[in-house]
Each structure stands twice: as structure tokens, then as C-alpha cells.
Amino acid sequence: MAALRSRKVVELFYDVISPYSWVAFEVLCRYQTRWNIDLQLRPFFIGGVFKETGNKPPALLAAKYTYAQHDLRRLADFYKIPVKMPPMERLMRRENVNSNRLLTAVTLDCPEHLENLSRELWMRVMARDQDITEPASLETAATAAGIPSDTTPQLLSRIRDDDVKAALKDTTNQALAYGAFGAPTIVAHIEGTPVMIWGSDRFPLLAHLLGERWEGPLREMAKY
Amino acid sequence: MAAPTRKSVEFFYDVLSPYTWLAFEVMCRYQQKWNIDLKLRPFFLSGIMQGADNRPPGMVPAKATYMGKDLKRLTDMYQVPFKLPSNPAEVMFIKGSINAGRFLTAVDMNCDQYLEELTRQLFLRIYYRDEDITEPASLMSAAAKAGIPEDLAKQLLSTIKDQAVKDRLRQNTQAALDHGAFGSPTIVAHVDGKPQMFFGSDRMELMAHMLGEKWYGPLPELAKAKM
């Protein structure tokens, strides 16, 4: 009988206001059926990471923002993910933290909905240029993600709870402890050692470190 | 049937940038596999940073820490003999690369058949042997290793403060800025008559897709950088 290799844990720290986080999310969701990994989704707060590290959102530099618009258009085609760089005023809204808190509440209360809700929030803000800060927006997203509508009001109210705020802060601090300075932050646990990788452009390296094969974008597995 | 015309790929670079060495070696390997015409365009990274109002990434401590590990992992995987200098801040932020950039430009203008190997020798100095690239003796040593005859190297070195050389370096820098550059490397692939600008060393597979070429990974068997 072949020995069962235990799955390697791969943590994905992400913020739904980060377009490159969506790319990493979809790629890892596709590869969790190909690689012997245990993908753990960790919604965090990129604003907290920038504050702690002194790093700045790349979008604040005009040349980088312009480049990212082209880059994401090409990546959208390459990966078959309908991602677009949102307008600056959506990127910079302080109330974006509401969506981080909602995802944290889902992580605590009904984690089976975390993947779908994350995807739905990205679809709103990145594909359809829709709001993800207002209660009505978040309720619509929760319902679209398959969360039963009788539980959504209670779930939305959790955004203001202390334990949810603390859990979001805690997850963000965990990412910082791994050396994070941006999003997405991927932490692969390889033979007991956490290996932190930043961005959505290190998948061939990640495969190499995990002892797996990179098979490209796997567009046929796109959910769009 | 006529062979399809080679697609032009411009590689704008400064040897001061470590990720640029990785990208450079990958492009040199792939020019043997892809139907491309690789044009090396030395530019001045400091000028790019100024023009784009950008800062070197290493100025964020957590980023600098990460980049050291990232470069080691990537260069191991790609088999490029990279080693971080003992004092990276001094190398990158204080000593700079203006003389190296102008020397590369002079070579590009007069005997560009040596440009690839001179570029490689400068990278090996700064990012393998932790050696200087600012002094005349350093540039002469790199030129010798690149196979440039001593008389020619001496003559080109004497021109690096000439207006024509300064202008050409400035033009390359401006051309990159006009394509939207904010760092090094800046790669411009001309696809269906349109310039596609790629920043960094991690868009090669995407570039392959857009060029209609195949991505084969690191291709270490085609490596040219020897220690």
C-alpha cells in the first residue's frame, strides 16, 4: 500500500481590494485539486500591513497604476479571470475594511462559505465595478454566494463585533510575523519551515518548492 | 513559404538591478528558442526612478529582507550564479551605475557584438564576485573578459563622458519612460504592431503567450553565465 503523503499546508493571506490577490486565489483554488496541498484561506487587512511596514499601495504611483491596468488586462486573458484594476476612489476607501470583517466573520461562523463569498466580492469590485462597503452591497454578495438569506442579517451585524475585529487584526499580525509587506502573501509550509512568497507571479517557484509541477494557467478550470 | 519575421523585443536595463540579471539570462536563453530579435538597450535606472517618481523597493525593510530570499530561490531555480553583495545599500544607493551605463552605451554604439557578454561580465562582477563596477580599471577588466580588444576598450572608455554617449543613454532612458517604465528591467515586446511593456523578471510565461511562443521554464541547459 502506497504511503499517504500528508498534504502540505499553503496559507493564502488576501484582501479582496487587491486585484493580484484574486489572481493568486483562483490559481490556488485550481491547483488545490492538482497539488497535494491543504489550501487555507486567510482574509486579512492590507491597510494594516502597509501601516506596520511603511510600504505604500503601488496604485499611489501613477506609472505603477497605469502599468497595473495593462498588466491585469493581460493576466485576465491569460488566466481567464475577469479582473480589472478598480478606479482609485474605490481602491482607497477606508470602508473597504467592512468586507474584510465580513470575511472574517464567515471564517469564524460558517467557513464553508468563505471561498464563494470571497469570489463574489471580487466579482463585484473587480469585474463589475460595484461597491463592497455598504451593508446592502454586502448582503447582496452574501446571498449571491449562497449564504442562506435568513442568516445574512446576523452575519452582517458581526462586522461590528469585537471578536471579529480582533480576529482580523490577529490574522493580519500573523501575516506580518511571516514577513508580509503586501498582498497576496502566500505561506507554504515545507518540511516544517514556513516559506513566505509575495504576489501572484511565483507559482512555478512554489511548484518547485512543493515538489509539484506547474501546468500553466489551467484556463479550462476557470469558473467564468 | 517565407519564414515569419522575427518579433522585436527591446530589453531596457541597468546592471545595478539584481532581478534584471535574472531576466537578462532568461531572455538570452530564449532568443535561441523564440522567433525574436532581442535588442539590448542599456538605460539609467536612477533616471527612470526620477522620471517616474519611484523609489527603489529595497527602501522598505520588510521588502528588502524578502527580496534577498526571493533572489536566492529564483536564481537557484534558474541556475544563475547570483550572490547578494556584502553591502547592497552601498552598491545600489551610493556607488550607482552611471559609468557602467555609459560604457555599455559606448559599446552598443560602436561594437554591439560585445554588448551581451559585457553586460554579463558586469553582472558577474557586481552580483557574483561583489566587485566594483564604477572605476575605469573595473570596466576594463569586464571588457577584457567580454573579449573586447584592449585598445578598443581603452578608446571606448575614453568616450564615456562625450555628449553623444550621454545623449544616447538619456534617449534610451527616455524611450523606456515613454513606454511607462518605472524600474528595471523594462521589456517591450512588439506584438501585431503594438508595443507591450512588461516590467520585471516574472512575466516571461505571459510574454510567451502574447508572442505566440512556448514557455519551457528555466532552460538551464542554455545557460551562458559561468562563474
Side-chain angles (χ1 to χ4, degrees):
Chain A
M1 186 190 103
L4 275 173
R5 285 189 309 144
S6 52
R7 291 178 164 273
K8 293 189 185 72
V9 170
V10 175
E11 298 182 82
L12 173 66
F13 293 90
Y14 64 98
D15 189 320
V16 290
I17 203 55
S18 154
Y20 292 99
S21 288
W22 193 12
V23 176
F25 171 87
E26 293 299 351
V27 174
L28 287 171
C29 285
R30 291 173 196 178
Y31 273 88
Q32 69 180 330
T33 62
R34 297 266 176 151
W35 292 346
N36 194 32
I37 61 171
D38 171 17
L39 177 62
Q40 295 180 0
L41 300 178
R42 301 253 185 271
F44 76 167
F45 177 43
I46 191 58
V49 173
F50 287 144
K51 189 157 175 259
E52 270 308 305
T53 60
N55 196 13
K56 291 196 172 30
L60 287 179
L61 196 80
K64 278 189 181 178
Y65 182 77
T66 303
Y67 175 71
Q69 287 175 309
H70 295 306
D71 192 40
L72 287 165
R73 214 172 289 136
R74 294 184 299 215
L75 289 171
D77 176 62
F78 182 70
Y79 282 108
K80 203 149 174 265
I81 302 168
V83 62
K84 280 191 293 258
M85 178 58 97
M88 278 296 281
E89 46 89 25
R90 266 207 214 290
L91 280 177
M92 297 299 145
R93 296 198 71 193
R94 300 195 64 209
E95 296 83 0
N96 286 329
V97 74
N98 292 339
S99 59
N100 305 124
R101 289 185 180 152
L102 179 63
L103 288 172
T104 302
V106 167
T107 305
L108 294 172
D109 298 355
C110 50
E112 67 275 16
H113 294 296
L114 182 57
E115 183 180 325
N116 283 350
L117 181 58
S118 301
R119 181 172 290 118
E120 183 54 32
L121 287 169
W122 270 308
M123 281 297 292
R124 286 186 67 85
V125 72
M126 305 280 159
R128 304 188 212 116
D129 193 20
Q130 290 173 329
D131 174 73
I132 54 164
T133 66
E134 302 285 318
S137 310
L138 298 176
E139 181 159 4
T140 305
T143 305
I147 297 173
S149 43
D150 56 343
T151 59
T152 52
Q154 204 265 327
L155 195 60
L156 287 176
S157 73
R158 296 274 282 133
I159 291 174
R160 288 182 294 280
D161 288 352
D162 287 339
D163 68 319
V164 169
K165 292 182 186 180
L168 178 61
K169 204 163 274 170
D170 189 54
T171 305
T172 305
N173 284 337
Q174 282 175 40
L176 285 163
Y178 284 128
F181 50 84
T185 291
I186 299 169
V187 181
H189 295 265
I190 297 169
E191 274 144 37
T193 305
V195 177
M196 188 279 275
I197 287 171
W198 167 59
S200 55
D201 32 39
R202 289 287 179 274
F203 292 113
L205 175 69
L206 180 61
H208 177 75
L209 295 172
L210 289 168
E212 299 282 358
R213 251 192 76 210
W214 170 245
E215 296 173 88
L218 295 181
R219 283 185 288 274
E220 64 276 17
M221 295 183 71
K223 302 227 185 233
Y224 310 99
Chain B
M1 192 186 106
T5 27
R6 292 179 162 272
K7 293 183 194 77
S8 165
V9 176
E10 297 181 89
F11 187 84
F12 292 91
Y13 68 105
D14 188 319
V15 294
L16 204 60
S17 153
Y19 287 99
T20 299
W21 191 14
L22 177 60
F24 168 78
E25 293 300 344
V26 173
M27 290 307 313
C28 289
R29 294 171 196 180
Y30 273 85
Q31 74 176 327
Q32 302 167 60
K33 282 271 191 187
W34 291 347
N35 192 32
I36 60 170
D37 178 15
L38 179 64
K39 295 182 206 274
L40 300 178
R41 300 245 187 270
F43 73 0
F44 188 42
L45 183 55
S46 231
I48 295 292
M49 290 287 162
Q50 250 186 332
D53 197 26
N54 196 9
R55 308 263 171 296
M59 295 193 140
V60 174
K63 239 190 190 184
T65 302
Y66 173 73
M67 279 166 42
K69 296 180 192 170
D70 189 44
L71 281 161
K72 173 142 197 3
R73 291 189 291 240
L74 287 173
T75 54
D76 280 353
M77 185 176 162
Y78 279 82
Q79 293 181 43
V80 174
F82 173 86
K83 275 192 234 156
L84 212 54
S86 51
N87 191 343
E90 184 192 50
V91 165
M92 292 185 208
F93 307 141
I94 297 169
K95 294 182 73 179
S97 60
I98 187 68
N99 291 336
R102 285 178 182 161
F103 190 49
L104 285 163
T105 301
V107 168
D108 187 25
M109 290 166 76
N110 291 277
C111 49
D112 65 359
Q113 68 270 30
Y114 296 111
L115 185 56
E116 180 185 323
E117 194 54 34
L118 177 62
T119 300
R120 179 167 295 116
Q121 290 303 325
L122 287 167
F123 276 127
L124 281 162
R125 284 188 70 86
I126 186 175
Y127 287 120
Y128 179 63
R129 297 194 296 271
D130 196 7
E131 288 171 350
D132 172 79
I133 59 159
T134 66
E135 300 288 322
S138 308
L139 300 176
M140 286 299 292
S141 178
K145 287 203 154 76
I148 303 176
E150 193 183 340
D151 296 349
L152 179 57
K154 217 175 262 175
Q155 193 257 315
L156 291 173
L157 191 57
S158 73
T159 70
I160 67 170
K161 292 208 164 50
D162 289 0
Q163 199 55 47
V165 173
K166 289 183 182 182
D167 283 350
R168 169 68 163 254
L169 183 61
R170 200 168 287 136
Q171 275 159 33
N172 278 353
T173 305
Q174 190 57 50
L177 284 167
D178 292 345
H179 282 297
F182 48 84
S184 178
T186 292
I187 305 172
V188 181
H190 296 268
V191 181
D192 299 327
K194 271 187 68 189
Q196 294 284 346
M197 189 276 270
F198 298 89
F199 164 67
S201 56
D202 45 28
R203 288 289 178 275
M204 302 302 183
E205 192 182 356
L206 177 64
M207 195 189 319
H209 176 74
M210 300 199 70
L211 287 167
E213 297 281 356
K214 206 169 166 274
W215 174 247
Y216 300 95
L219 287 181
E221 63 273 23
L222 296 182
K224 290 187 197 174
K226 307 262 187 300
M227 304 172 210

